[in-house]
Amino acid sequence: MAEVKKVKLRVPATTANMGPGFDSLGCALSLYNYFTFEKTENGVEILGCDDEYCTKENLAYQGYEAAMKYMGLPVGGVKITVESNIPICRGLGSSAAMIVAGAEAANVLNGKKMSPEDILAVCNDIEGHPDNLAPAIYGGMTVSMMDGRTPHTVSYILSPELHFCALIPDFETSTNDARKVLPKRVDYADALFNITRAGILLKALENGDIDLVCLGVEDKLHQPYRKKLIHEYDDVHNICKQQEGVAFFISGSGSTCMCISKEKNFADKLDGKFDGLTKNWKALQLSPDREGVKILEVV
Ligand code: HSE
């Protein structure tokens, strides 16, 4: 087999938690970052990111390096070009997309020695939770769990009748900060509240039962603590809930909020509704991505 010197790939944005599924549920969405990875003699060159991210701390490089080490290969030189469309630090899986791109690129450039499960495990060692990583790798809607340091993921069916609309403000939230506001212990009744809803939600998403999705998407484990980090959360929530049949949740750790509805163009219904707010909220209609990380070209 001819040696692969360069690979182009795309990785989808992802929404995680999806209400009651903290650190577990996730879904890939039709918004993509594009990457080219090219083997070079030595050193690391990164193009397409702000200067502060063009270092070995870059998550695409981190994913690449971790996968090379996992395969027992010298890391060597690499040139990485990034075309970034997923907004950073907004709860749409931009970090996961970068890490997955690096690990998958290393895999393709070196004879595809790693399975998707290997890629997930390597990426999770960097990210720390698999809920964005799994859909970025597999596509579709996934449920993940950790068994010690090993992630396990299953895929669920998502009804084609359901559509996503991301509400993206102009401010970032840090996942670290959003994890710090969570309590160390949860109330038994709150755990019960979430467990019962998570199971209902998955079936309702499969069946396209939007009324049950609206009920199942409720959460008591993270959103009550995090909404205070999201400026104008109550306003945006109220605007969306004035519409019929809209499930609303914080995407990942925010700042984006996500709606699920049966409206193909729910974003149009929100036209002008955020004009009185200050955080420049944009409604972006998205569909589920069913492919996950995708190789576009190898040279
Ligand atoms: N499950 C993670 C969290 C997603 O809510 O902290 C953010 O990356």
Side-chain angles (χ1 to χ4, degrees):
M1 208 167 73
E3 192 198 355
V4 178
K5 292 208 171 81
K6 185 166 154 181
V7 57
K8 287 187 185 177
L9 66 169
R10 74 172 198 196
V11 189
T14 46
T15 185
N17 298 330
M18 299 180 73
F22 181 70
D23 274 3
S24 178
L25 267 66
C27 185
L29 298 168
S30 58
L31 175 68
Y32 301 95
N33 280 0
Y34 294 85
F35 302 85
T36 304
F37 286 73
E38 189 174 358
K39 283 184 189 171
T40 58
E41 285 299 312
N42 50 51
V44 181
E45 188 183 358
I46 301 174
L47 304 173
C49 295
D50 290 345
D51 284 352
E52 59 182 309
Y53 297 114
C54 291
T55 68
K56 286 188 172 181
E57 301 307 309
N58 183 293
L59 287 171
Y61 179 74
Q62 294 276 312
Y64 181 84
E65 181 185 48
M68 295 297 278
K69 288 183 175 167
Y70 178 88
M71 292 185 281
L73 298 170
V75 180
V78 64
K79 178 177 170 185
I80 305 172
T81 309
V82 185
E83 182 195 320
S84 183
N85 300 303
I86 306 171
I88 293 170
C89 295
R90 306 293 164 83
L92 287 167
S94 63
S95 305
M98 300 288 276
I99 300 167
V100 167
E104 181 63 15
N107 190 33
V108 173
L109 289 169
N110 293 283
K112 295 192 183 169
K113 297 180 178 72
M114 297 172 74
S115 67
E117 291 74 24
D118 297 332
I119 301 270
L120 178 59
V122 162
C123 293
N124 192 63
D125 280 345
I126 300 170
E127 176 91 323
H129 39 82
D131 48 341
N132 290 103
L133 295 168
I137 293 168
Y138 297 103
M141 185 170 68
T142 55
V143 178
S144 304
M145 61 168 242
M146 295 302 299
D147 177 30
R149 279 185 60 190
T150 307
H152 295 273
T153 291
V154 292
S155 292
Y156 275 79
I157 295 165
L158 190 56
S159 165
E161 287 179 44
L162 298 176
H163 306 283
F164 288 74
C165 178
L167 311 172
I168 310 171
D170 64 5
F171 61 90
E172 301 180 356
T173 43
S174 132
T175 296
N176 271 347
D177 291 347
R179 291 180 89 83
K180 280 185 198 148
V181 300
L182 302 178
K184 295 273 178 289
R185 297 185 179 280
V186 298
D187 188 79
Y188 200 89
D190 289 350
L192 179 69
F193 183 98
N194 272 51
I195 289 166
T196 50
R197 277 155 186 79
I200 294 276
L201 176 64
L202 289 167
K203 198 64 180 172
L205 288 168
E206 180 183 324
N207 290 345
D209 183 341
I210 191 65
D211 293 335
L212 262 189
V213 172
C214 290
L215 290 176
V217 86
E218 301 268 307
D219 156 70
K220 289 204 176 185
L221 294 188
H222 75 109
Q223 296 187 160
Y225 308 99
R226 285 173 160 178
K227 62 185 186 184
K228 59 177 175 268
L229 301 177
I230 302 178
H231 314 286
E232 301 176 332
Y233 172 91
D234 287 331
D235 302 295
V236 172
H237 182 253
N238 290 338
I239 289 167
C240 294
K241 293 305 277 184
Q242 277 164 14
Q243 308 289 324
E244 289 282 300
V246 177
F248 184 96
F249 58 91
I250 297 174
S251 183
S253 56
S255 51
T256 293
C257 295
M258 192 67 69
C259 294
I260 299 179
S261 78
K262 287 198 152 180
E263 292 281 342
K264 268 195 185 133
N265 293 310
F266 183 65
D268 291 350
K269 288 198 148 185
L270 297 175
D271 209 23
K273 294 257 187 323
F274 302 133
D275 287 355
L277 304 184
T278 64
K279 297 299 176 191
N280 202 18
W281 292 84
K282 297 265 187 296
L284 181 63
Q285 195 69 39
L286 296 168
S287 42
D289 163 275
R290 313 224 180 236
E291 297 182 284
V293 58
K294 185 174 181 184
I295 306 305
L296 301 176
E297 191 182 343
V298 289
V299 180

